[in-house]
Structure formats: C-alpha cells, structure tokens
Amino acid sequence: MQLICESDNLQDYLEETTEVDYSDPRIGELVERLTTASRSQEEYIRHAYEWVRDNISHAWDIQSTRVTCAASEVLEFGEGICYAKSNLLCAILRRAAIPAGFCYQRLTLGDEPDTGYCIHALNAVYIASLNKWIRLDARGNKPGICAEFSLTEERLAFPIREAYGEFDYPTIYAQPHPQTIAVLRQHTNSLTMYQHGLPSHL
C-alpha cells in the first residue's frame, strides 16, 4: 500500500501538542536512556518502538478500566489502548527530532464481521537514511499477535482481511485523529469504551 502524507512539510510531524506532550521531563528521561542505548537513528527508532510495545500494557489485555490519553499520562500509568500508546510512541520519536505520524486501520472488533468494526491506531515514522515512511504498531504482542520492527517488510499486529471488510487508511496524519481523542476524553471506563465506544470509521 502506498502511504500518503497529510502534509508535505516534515516539520508538521515534529510538532508538540496536548496529546503528544514530549516536553514532559519523564519523556525526556526515557528519550535520553533510549538515545544512550542506540548507535544510530534506526536503532533508536527500533528501541523506542519496542519499549512502548513491550512496556506499556494494552488496557484491554490487562482488563484495566483506566483511560489514558496524553503521552505523559500513558507513560505515568504504564497502560492505554492503541490510541494512547500511539501518542506515546509519537512523542518519544518527536522528542528525538524524528518525524512521526498516525495511521489507522478499520478492523473487526472481534474475530468475525458480525462483532462490528472499530478503528485501530498505529504510527508511521520517517526513516531519513532511506527517505521513506514505515508503519509500526506498538499495540503490544500476545498469543496470536506478533508485530515487529522491520525496515524492509511490514510486520503489523493485524494483517488486513479484505474479505471481512477490513482496510488500511493510507493517510499519515500529522496529529491523532480527532475522533480517537474524543473517544478517550469522553470515557472514564476503558473496558466499556473498548467494547462499545470506539469509532467504526474515520
């Protein structure tokens, strides 16, 4: 699939916002640790991605009712759904001056189409040495879900099943989609939100 940038200006993919609040000192400390452990920009991107994927729990996986949104909040509590985790990964990348954005998929909420549909969030990051964008899904691995860092082939959490009406949105958004942020801001119970409050389309 050909990814389409919402903006032609890479600077738009470095902006700090309410949700991507990378000036937070805790995010700065994490970025410093990841930078120290990385020998190249590509290695930093991999470390950042794997850190969010593996160290921030998906709220549904741990059956937590807490709703997190801003990157600093996700880091503080160590949990969030995909919308929240993508905010944190974006913040960690942008704090290191690496352009990053947001991508979305329309997936079945359960295993079959009759369970309904939901919008799933992931990130795109610009690889300067290759002059290209790649998508990364920091949702979190578990049995049946195995997303990995790769510069050559996508290894996302959820391969699209076209026969089930699933599809990728090709746009790389500079900011999280307003619908995803509205969902996080309007709910106080993440389990109820996950089952009944996620948007089905953008």
Side-chain angles (χ1 to χ4, degrees):
M1 183 190 70
Q2 173 126 17
L3 297 173
I4 302 169
C5 288
E6 180 184 30
S7 171
D8 293 330
N9 186 355
L10 280 180
Q11 200 64 36
D12 291 339
Y13 294 94
L14 292 169
E15 184 180 356
E16 182 171 23
T17 68
T18 301
E19 288 78 33
V20 184
D21 55 342
Y22 57 68
S23 290
D24 184 274
R26 292 163 296 188
I27 292 178
E29 291 170 7
L30 174 58
V31 168
E32 189 172 333
R33 294 202 309 270
L34 294 171
T35 300
T36 300
S38 304
R39 294 167 295 178
S40 66
Q41 189 177 80
E42 289 87 350
E43 192 168 51
Y44 176 88
I45 293 169
R46 178 174 66 82
H47 285 158
Y49 161 69
E50 291 176 349
W51 195 94
V52 176
R53 183 194 66 188
D54 299 340
N55 290 279
I56 303 297
S57 299
H58 192 286
W60 180 259
D61 292 350
I62 61 172
Q63 291 292 283
S64 171
T65 60
R66 188 190 303 277
V67 178
T68 57
C69 181
S72 58
E73 188 180 22
V74 180
L75 181 58
E76 177 183 1
F77 293 106
E79 63 181 81
I81 70 164
C82 59
Y83 302 165
K85 293 187 70 169
S86 65
N87 289 341
L88 177 57
L89 179 54
C90 187
I92 294 171
L93 293 169
R94 291 185 181 185
R95 175 75 181 239
I98 298 170
F102 299 85
C103 292
Y104 299 94
Q105 296 175 314
R106 184 177 189 256
L107 305 173
T108 59
L109 187 58
D111 292 331
E112 302 289 339
D114 61 8
T115 59
Y117 293 87
C118 67
I119 295 301
H120 174 63
L122 55 156
N123 293 100
V125 57
Y126 181 69
I127 308 297
S129 63
L130 301 177
N131 188 29
K132 76 171 186 176
W133 290 84
I134 65 170
R135 294 190 300 173
L136 297 172
D137 192 340
R139 179 237 176 264
N141 290 342
K142 63 178 184 178
I145 295 177
C146 184
E148 300 291 344
F149 177 83
S150 175
L151 294 174
T152 57
E153 61 175 334
E154 283 194 330
R155 300 182 64 183
L156 303 180
F158 301 106
I160 291 300
R161 302 173 298 177
E162 293 182 2
Y164 282 25
E166 298 178 339
F167 59 84
D168 288 303
Y169 289 89
T171 303
I172 304 173
Y173 292 91
Q175 306 304 337
H177 196 280
Q179 285 194 55
T180 66
I181 299 305
V183 164
L184 296 176
R185 297 300 187 192
Q186 291 167 5
H187 287 81
T188 58
N189 184 309
S190 75
L191 299 180
T192 302
M193 174 184 68
Y194 196 79
Q195 291 178 296
H196 307 293
L198 302 184
S200 60
H201 61 276
L202 297 181

